[in-house]
Amino acid sequence: EEKKASWAGREPPAPTTTNQPSWIGQDHPDRTPLHFVLYTGKNSWSGAPVSHRVITESTGDLHDECIGCSHDIPGADIQLCLPKNQCHTVLVGRLIGRWNSCFNGGVEELQVIWAGETIRSNNAYLFERVDFGEGCQIDSCDPDNELEFEFFLDRRQDSSYPNPFAWNLAEVATDESFLQGQAPYNESSFIYEKACVPRSSCLEFYMGYPSNTTSGFYDPSPYSIRLDGVIYDEHELRFGTDLFSGPDKLDQTVNLGDCSVETLCNATTEDLFRMEFTTEALVECFASANNDYNYSSSISSSDMRFWLQDIDEEDFASSYVWSADYEDFEVDRKYAFMSCIPNDRCAQFFFATDNQVASYSLYQNGVELTQRSIQTDSFEGLTLTNAGVCAPAPTLSLTLERVLVASVTVLSLLNMFW
């Protein structure tokens, strides 16, 4: 079924131009029109604050930028004329989570239209990077040897935030730093950082405030951490002191990349658990008077229930990971998570049996966990996979497995001559 345009039959946003010459609406031999639309309709939040940036990275040109701007109904239509023969980028960050159209109704949609063609449409956007134009692959990472790391952060001004808020991306084995920086103090900022890293890297991304912070504050800034387009973490920081929900939280570390239990964990006492899943490409909305269209670009975390926790643990907050750790889920997107877990405890991974993923895979020490036990008891509606010491299959690390295979091969060759 064809997707119904969000603003079909309604008045579109009024065009907004920034430092553009008088010929913006006319044909030009060296320029192409860009329409960057942030549509806000009825039943929405009247346009949550959005940050955006339009750049040409190769020349360093900043064509348009707005940090934490509100877009009241009907929204904004930014129109620019950009050089035809260059690669351009639109960056977007939304300060207050995703607007899940199926769950909330209403309209808050992003569209990027280049030369009259819609190249990106998302009615539940949070962070976006859209490249368009000519030569966009020239400045990208080496596809054979490298992956691209990305970090988004949309941060509002707040004088109570400690200084600095810093981040660092490093190789676990060598501590080599690929990327580091810090946010401007006491001003709103939209952070986008990227770096090319070796494909074989096991990475650690740290972000946080100084450990000696004692002043009271709460920072709910949204962020996203990605590698090769795969989302490893995406939510609100929820950093602060004297938090109602628990102890002070000043920093966070996210692991990503090609990691083994020997590289990332204490292989004597821990296993390495890894989860990967890809969401469905199309999510249809249920019939409702509040719904202005028939599809959604995101899936609510409540419709994608999953968690990993020790068998004797009952508090979701103590889970190694659970679906509420994410700011809902974008459709047609791959997600990943990894964590070291004790190898002398029984852990359980539950996933909603009726879920909206195209596929999901679980691994322990590099070996896939294929058990899928559909529950009929108090966990009805969930599918169980055991992990930790209760994993149903041997969980040799990839390194050890290769050593054993090599040893068997050598012995087989020797036997040929005995």
Side-chain angles (χ1 to χ4, degrees), residues 272-276 361-369 395:
L272 177 60
F273 178 88
R274 181 182 178 93
M275 168 187 71
E276 298 176 354
S361 302
L362 308 173
Y363 302 88
Q364 186 163 300
N365 301 337
V367 177
E368 186 170 4
L369 302 175
T395 54

Side-chain angles (χ1 to χ4, degrees), residues 44-359:
S44 71
W45 288 341
S46 296
V50 176
S51 298
H52 76 263
R53 188 175 297 136
V54 184
I55 61 173
T56 303
E57 188 174 5
S58 62
T59 61
D61 289 337
L62 173 63
H63 302 287
D64 195 58
E65 182 179 59
C66 195
I67 308 298
C69 297
S70 295
H71 300 293
D72 295 332
I73 298 171
D77 180 1
I78 298 104
Q79 298 188 13
L80 304 169
C81 283
L82 304 178
K84 289 182 177 180
N85 61 349
Q86 294 176 356
C87 177
H88 312 289
T89 301
V90 170
L91 298 167
V92 183
R94 192 173 185 277
L95 192 60
I96 311 178
R98 295 185 186 275
W99 181 267
N100 186 290
S101 50
C102 283
F103 182 77
N104 296 312
V107 177
E108 290 203 17
E109 182 161 2
L110 169 151
Q111 284 205 350
V112 179
I113 304 167
W114 174 246
E117 178 184 355
T118 299
I119 58 175
R120 180 60 173 160
S121 179
N122 191 327
N123 64 17
Y125 64 93
L126 181 59
F127 291 104
E128 289 281 346
R129 188 192 90 180
V130 183
D131 297 326
F132 56 95
E134 296 182 8
C136 289
Q137 299 303 316
I138 296 176
D139 297 326
S140 63
C141 302
D142 178 355
D144 295 326
N145 301 301
E146 295 178 319
L147 300 175
E148 186 177 62
F149 170 86
E150 297 176 282
F151 171 52
F152 295 82
L153 177 69
D154 200 0
R155 197 164 180 259
R156 63 183 175 84
Q157 179 183 13
D158 193 321
S159 60
S160 71
Y161 292 171
N163 189 44
F165 178 89
W167 55 86
N168 182 57
L169 175 69
E171 167 68 53
V172 171
T174 64
D175 288 331
E176 177 186 359
S177 179
F178 298 108
L179 175 71
Q180 54 185 311
Q182 64 183 56
Y185 177 62
N186 197 26
E187 65 179 81
S188 296
S189 56
F190 176 39
I191 305 295
Y192 175 73
E193 297 267 33
K194 66 176 183 177
C196 295
V197 299
R199 277 188 171 272
S200 58
S201 295
C202 176
L203 302 167
E204 177 179 271
F205 182 74
Y206 166 87
M207 57 182 176
Y209 290 101
S211 59
N212 60 354
T213 298
T214 58
S215 58
F217 78 100
Y218 178 66
D219 183 355
S221 302
Y223 66 91
S224 184
I225 298 169
R226 307 176 181 188
L227 183 66
D228 197 31
V230 179
I231 296 177
Y232 277 78
D233 198 9
E234 187 173 79
H235 205 258
E236 298 174 350
L237 290 177
R238 298 184 181 177
F239 289 179
T241 56
D242 299 324
L243 299 178
F244 175 78
S245 59
D248 296 354
K249 182 181 180 183
L250 298 175
D251 55 22
Q252 182 173 333
T253 298
V254 178
N255 293 112
L256 57 167
D258 185 11
C259 299
S260 67
V261 63
E262 295 87 356
T263 302
L264 189 60
C265 311
N266 182 339
T268 304
T269 61
E270 295 176 316
D271 289 321
L272 177 60
F273 178 88
R274 181 182 178 93
M275 168 187 71
E276 298 176 354
F277 64 85
T278 301
T279 53
E280 292 181 346
L282 178 65
V283 175
E284 295 183 352
C285 294
F286 55 87
S288 169
N290 290 327
N291 286 347
D292 295 294
Y293 37 83
N294 56 7
Y295 75 99
S296 174
S297 299
S298 77
I299 304 165
S300 170
S301 58
S302 62
D303 293 329
M304 283 273 292
R305 291 182 301 147
F306 62 80
W307 67 90
L308 171 71
Q309 63 182 181
D310 292 334
I311 194 171
D312 55 353
E313 184 61 65
E314 297 181 356
D315 183 9
F316 278 116
S318 299
S319 300
Y320 298 104
V321 64
W322 65 312
S323 51
D325 289 334
Y326 295 83
E327 188 63 42
D328 290 340
F329 300 94
E330 187 175 329
V331 298
D332 198 22
R333 173 73 76 166
K334 187 173 181 178
Y335 288 78
F337 166 84
M338 69 175 71
S339 177
C340 299
I341 63 175
N343 62 14
D344 61 349
R345 298 184 197 169
C346 183
Q348 294 181 314
F349 181 84
F350 288 99
F351 207 134
T353 304
D354 183 13
N355 57 60
Q356 293 176 305
V357 298
S359 64

Side-chain angles (χ1 to χ4, degrees), residues 357-416:
V357 298
S359 64
Y360 77 94
S361 302
L362 308 173
Y363 302 88
Q364 186 163 300
N365 301 337
V367 177
E368 186 170 4
L369 302 175
T370 57
Q371 174 201 11
R372 300 291 186 270
S373 299
I374 297 176
Q375 304 297 286
T376 57
D377 51 13
S378 57
F379 292 102
E380 185 174 0
L382 299 170
T383 297
L384 166 68
T385 301
N386 286 311
V389 72
C390 292
T395 54
L396 298 173
S397 70
L398 287 179
T399 301
L400 181 56
E401 188 176 25
R402 288 168 185 154
V403 170
L404 291 177
V405 170
S407 299
V408 171
T409 303
V410 171
L411 289 174
S412 298
L413 290 173
L414 289 174
N415 285 335
M416 291 175 62

